[in-house]
Amino acid sequence: MLPEQGLVTELGVNLLGNDPWYNLRQVEVTVAHFPDYLWFDPMTEFPTGNVIHWGPIFVQIISLLAIVTGAATRPEIMYVAAWVPPLMGMAMVPPLLYAVGERIADWKCGLFAALFGAVVSGQYFYRSLFGFVDHHIAETLFGTLFCLCYILALMEIRKNPVSFSDLDSLKRPALFALAAGVAFYLGLAVMPTMILFAMIVAIFTVFQFVRDSWKKQNSDGLFLVNTGVFLCAIAGLFVIGFNSEGFSMARYSPGQAIAYLLLIIGTAILWSLQRVLRDRPWQYYPAVIVGAIAAAYIVLSVVAPEFSRMLLGNLFAFFGQSATVMTIQEARPWEAANAWSSYGFGLILMFGGFAALIWDFIRKERAEHLFVLVWSVIILFSTMQHVRYEYYVAVNIVLLAAYFMYRTLSAAQGRLLEMTGIEGDKATEDAPLPAEKVKKGKRQPPKKDVKETKQGALSSVVIIPFAVGVIFSLLFISSSVATDFDIGRSMAYGGMQPDWHSSLEWFGENSPDTGVDYYGIYDKETFTYPPESYGVMSWWDYGHYITFVSKRIPNANPFQHGVAGPNGAAAFFLQENEADADTIMDNVGTRYIITDIEMDTGKFWAMATWYDPDVGGVPHI
């Protein structure tokens, strides 16, 4: 809530970033047509319009709150919307982070997780600020909710083993699987990138089946849970709807449904192989899995090369970089300096938590520990590739740091109680009196036990990791709080520049109407622009400003649509011949051009890179 005072004006809320302005545009339309959602928007990316590739639930939550609270005007709706990210951030701390920590350990781990989660900084904090009306915090919220539900399902099948020969054993685990499936659907209805959590489950499933095969244990429960979860995901996709053709994993496409179906089939294959090879040495099982994966990829490359390339392309889209992607701030790699600036000593605690959790998994072999390890490794790797996932990894840093503190506290707890005198007094009361020598009538002084002395020294050593953890925790908390206040205060005036806002208001009042109803919901297949429609050329950073403030149609937007290609914004602004620039304007129906000094200075390298990724800005500077 720190930025509220500087962001709230009589005109509404000066939202942070670019995308929140577009989310508010969606909210305004959804409030007018609740619960309908704007899947196709002709008010951006002229002359084609823009298909929306994220889900409706974040916008619908805000719209419902606006309707319930009676917010009707633009300033009122903006104020209600600005509250949603911090409220979602608050929902993460006591219920979710405590619950996950308590489930993987005990109440002490839950308290540490809630404490660290309440102050953790970085992109997680920034994207849960008042005024940052974007779906990132909702992704984190529902992704964590899914992981909690999946952990609960794993614990259920461990405590109450499932056997397909006993139908009664299926009932409770099926309910837990259903709950995890609903949580997955909620995350999927925020963003299709929820498929990243399906990848986490898939990798965990392979490791868990190998472990179960090694220990000769039944895996019926995991088969049941995965089937229930991803049948819900497939059903959820049909509820959301497919708005993209092909097999893109970053879109609501048939490819996502196929991916979830393949995960179910893959689990069934692992389960069947386990039964077939159960009388063989356990090493046969992982060897067959590796061979089957290699053979499947070879066959797929020969039989369906396009599908094979699509799979590799989707992996690269998730984890790779390109020259144009590097111009997008949230798609750049996570640099070590930025990581330390965001989380500092929390990173050291995280690695301690990794070590403690690995050790406990080896000792206790609990499936939920393995799942948290896989979850954390995948999210950490994703963040290293694309900094946008930093608001995901904050959860894993918090949980692993909490687990390290729980583990070291548990090891040192006995010695700490003894040092406070709690255990010492009890020991004194219960100890028998030393033997007395009848001869001379004197009490014999007790002899020191060498073994007890060594054990006492060792028990003192266990305090050291906990003491170090306390010091690092205090440094983590204090630096996080200081960073949080710095971010909050700096963002108090970090919204749209006043010059942009006043200029776009003037432009909206003094330019011809586009003929497109700003509050209308349109179907892509039937929509055509009226003859009076036109585009406004600017760099993609400013597209949502133009849509929301001026209610005019930009040619390019922050989805990086309308930027590349011979008629894109990059080509237009890099033209050295006026006639060629006029041709581009004619091709995309541009009537007005809006520029600022940043396009000639700080943003020029990005424009040049989009125009020609191979040479960038070198020829022009």
Side-chain angles (χ1 to χ4, degrees):
M1 295 305 301
L2 290 172
E4 179 186 7
Q5 185 175 1
L7 296 179
V8 178
T9 69
E10 67 277 2
L11 299 176
V13 180
N14 192 7
L15 303 176
L16 302 172
N18 294 323
D19 291 345
W21 295 94
Y22 187 77
N23 284 313
L24 254 297
R25 182 244 178 324
Q26 287 189 302
V27 168
E28 288 182 321
V29 174
T30 302
V31 166
H33 301 275
F34 190 82
D36 292 344
Y37 181 69
L38 189 68
W39 285 107
F40 169 73
D41 191 357
M43 286 298 297
T44 188
E45 197 187 351
F46 192 83
T48 61
N50 203 114
V51 175
I52 305 304
H53 292 297
W54 63 83
I57 195 165
F58 179 69
V59 168
Q60 288 172 337
I61 289 172
I62 297 173
S63 302
L64 181 60
L65 284 174
I67 292 170
V68 169
T69 57
T73 65
R74 172 170 277 191
E76 291 171 345
I77 292 172
M78 294 179 78
Y79 187 72
V80 170
W83 268 93
V84 172
L87 290 174
M88 287 187 168
M90 291 169 60
M92 283 289 296
V93 178
L96 283 186
L97 290 177
Y98 175 85
V100 176
E102 193 271 338
R103 289 293 85 191
I104 63 174
D106 67 8
W107 64 270
K108 295 188 292 294
C109 185
L111 286 179
F112 279 122
L115 173 62
F116 294 148
V119 299
V120 69
S121 189
Q123 290 293 323
Y124 173 84
F125 177 77
Y126 172 65
R127 293 169 193 270
S128 60
L129 280 174
F130 177 91
F132 195 89
V133 188
D134 210 347
H135 46 70
H136 301 125
I137 189 62
E139 294 176 50
T140 309
L141 176 68
F142 291 118
T144 307
L145 176 64
F146 164 70
C147 290
L148 171 62
C149 292
Y150 195 80
I151 287 170
L152 291 172
L154 293 177
M155 295 179 69
E156 173 64 23
I157 61 176
R158 175 169 55 81
K159 294 175 182 176
N160 301 297
V162 171
S163 174
F164 289 133
S165 60
D166 179 9
L167 294 181
D168 287 338
S169 70
L170 307 181
K171 293 178 182 178
R172 279 177 56 88
L175 291 176
F176 279 88
L178 177 62
V182 170
F184 191 93
Y185 161 72
L186 292 173
L188 187 62
V190 175
M191 275 290 282
T193 48
M194 187 69 186
I195 197 172
L196 183 61
F197 288 87
M199 181 190 298
I200 292 167
V201 170
I203 295 171
F204 158 76
T205 298
V206 172
F207 283 121
Q208 185 62 30
F209 265 97
V210 170
R211 180 261 171 201
D212 289 347
S213 180
W214 176 29
K215 297 295 182 178
K216 304 297 182 183
Q217 292 182 352
N218 185 353
S219 297
D220 290 4
L222 186 54
F223 184 12
L224 173 67
V225 169
N226 281 4
T227 301
V229 168
F230 292 104
L231 283 177
C232 287
I234 294 171
L237 270 175
F238 282 93
V239 172
I240 296 168
F242 299 100
N243 68 344
S244 178
E245 298 177 354
F247 299 96
S248 172
M249 298 300 167
R251 302 282 187 267
Y252 295 117
S253 71
Q256 282 232 356
I258 293 172
Y260 300 139
L261 181 60
L262 287 176
L263 202 156
I264 296 172
I265 294 171
T267 305
I269 292 172
L270 290 172
W271 177 81
S272 301
L273 284 175
Q274 186 186 64
R275 296 175 70 85
V276 170
L277 299 173
R278 61 186 164 188
D279 296 327
R280 301 270 188 171
W282 75 270
Q283 293 89 343
Y284 276 63
Y285 190 71
V288 170
I289 292 174
V290 172
I293 292 173
Y297 180 74
I298 293 171
V299 170
L300 195 63
S301 300
V302 174
V303 176
E306 291 187 7
F307 186 74
S308 176
R309 285 193 293 270
M310 178 273 300
L311 289 176
L312 290 177
N314 278 296
L315 281 175
F316 183 81
F318 265 107
F319 302 116
Q321 286 102 20
S322 64
T324 52
V325 165
M326 293 289 284
T327 67
I328 306 168
Q329 187 174 8
E330 67 177 28
R332 297 172 189 168
W334 198 35
E335 297 177 354
N338 292 335
W340 183 261
S341 175
S342 296
Y343 302 112
F345 288 93
L347 297 173
I348 298 176
L349 293 171
M350 176 193 73
F351 287 114
F354 262 123
L357 199 55
I358 291 170
W359 175 249
D360 278 352
F361 172 69
I362 293 171
R363 288 173 56 246
K364 301 177 183 178
E365 297 182 334
R366 289 170 57 179
E368 58 268 28
H369 286 172
L370 178 59
F371 176 76
V372 172
L373 285 169
V374 173
W375 171 24
S376 300
V377 169
I378 297 299
I379 294 297
L380 181 61
F381 178 73
S382 301
T383 306
M384 292 169 65
Q385 296 301 109
H386 296 298
V387 73
R388 77 177 297 268
Y389 293 110
E390 189 185 304
Y391 52 87
Y392 281 178
V393 83
V395 173
N396 302 88
I397 291 173
V398 162
L399 289 174
L400 292 171
Y403 195 84
F404 176 76
M405 292 305 300
Y406 146 77
R407 199 68 185 81
T408 55
L409 175 58
S410 298
Q413 183 172 298
R415 181 59 176 159
L416 290 171
L417 291 173
E418 184 180 342
M419 291 171 65
T420 59
I422 297 175
E423 291 292 329
D425 293 342
K426 186 177 183 296
T428 303
E429 291 172 6
D430 296 341
L433 291 174
E436 295 182 359
K437 292 283 186 180
V438 177
K439 190 178 180 180
K440 297 185 181 178
K442 291 184 179 178
R443 184 175 296 177
Q444 194 74 3
K447 295 180 180 180
K448 288 187 177 181
D449 192 327
V450 176
K451 186 177 180 181
E452 286 182 6
T453 303
K454 289 181 178 179
Q455 288 176 345
L458 288 174
S459 65
S460 298
V461 171
V462 299
I463 299 176
I464 296 175
F466 176 66
V468 172
V470 169
I471 294 171
F472 283 173
S473 295
L474 292 174
L475 291 170
F476 175 37
I477 292 170
S478 60
S479 62
S480 295
V481 170
T483 304
D484 291 344
F485 273 99
D486 287 343
I487 294 174
R489 284 192 292 261
S490 65
M491 289 298 106
Y493 301 96
M496 187 191 304
Q497 293 179 3
D499 288 348
W500 263 102
H501 199 282
S502 59
S503 298
L504 291 177
E505 280 192 321
W506 181 91
F507 176 61
E509 294 168 358
N510 293 275
S511 57
D513 189 89
T514 62
V516 179
D517 180 9
Y518 177 85
Y519 295 99
I521 290 183
Y522 302 92
D523 185 279
K524 182 179 184 297
E525 303 302 323
T526 59
F527 177 80
T528 55
Y529 280 102
E532 64 269 29
S533 297
Y534 58 89
V536 180
M537 182 66 74
S538 190
W539 188 233
W540 62 260
D541 292 41
Y542 309 116
H544 296 337
Y545 293 174
I546 295 168
T547 298
F548 185 83
V549 180
S550 301
K551 296 185 179 179
R552 298 295 179 259
I553 311 174
N555 293 111
N557 57 42
F559 309 138
Q560 293 85 49
H561 296 168
V563 182
N567 293 314
F572 173 79
F573 286 111
L574 267 294
Q575 292 304 312
E576 299 177 359
N577 182 289
E578 185 176 349
D580 293 337
D582 287 342
T583 300
I584 294 175
M585 290 178 64
D586 292 339
N587 290 341
V588 295
T590 301
R591 187 178 297 183
Y592 296 95
I593 305 165
I594 302 178
T595 63
D596 70 350
I597 191 172
E598 285 292 320
M599 293 170 61
D600 192 42
T601 54
K603 299 181 186 296
F604 183 79
W605 72 275
M607 298 163 68
T609 301
W610 276 94
Y611 179 60
D612 189 343
D614 295 328
V615 299
V618 175
H620 310 283
I621 299 175

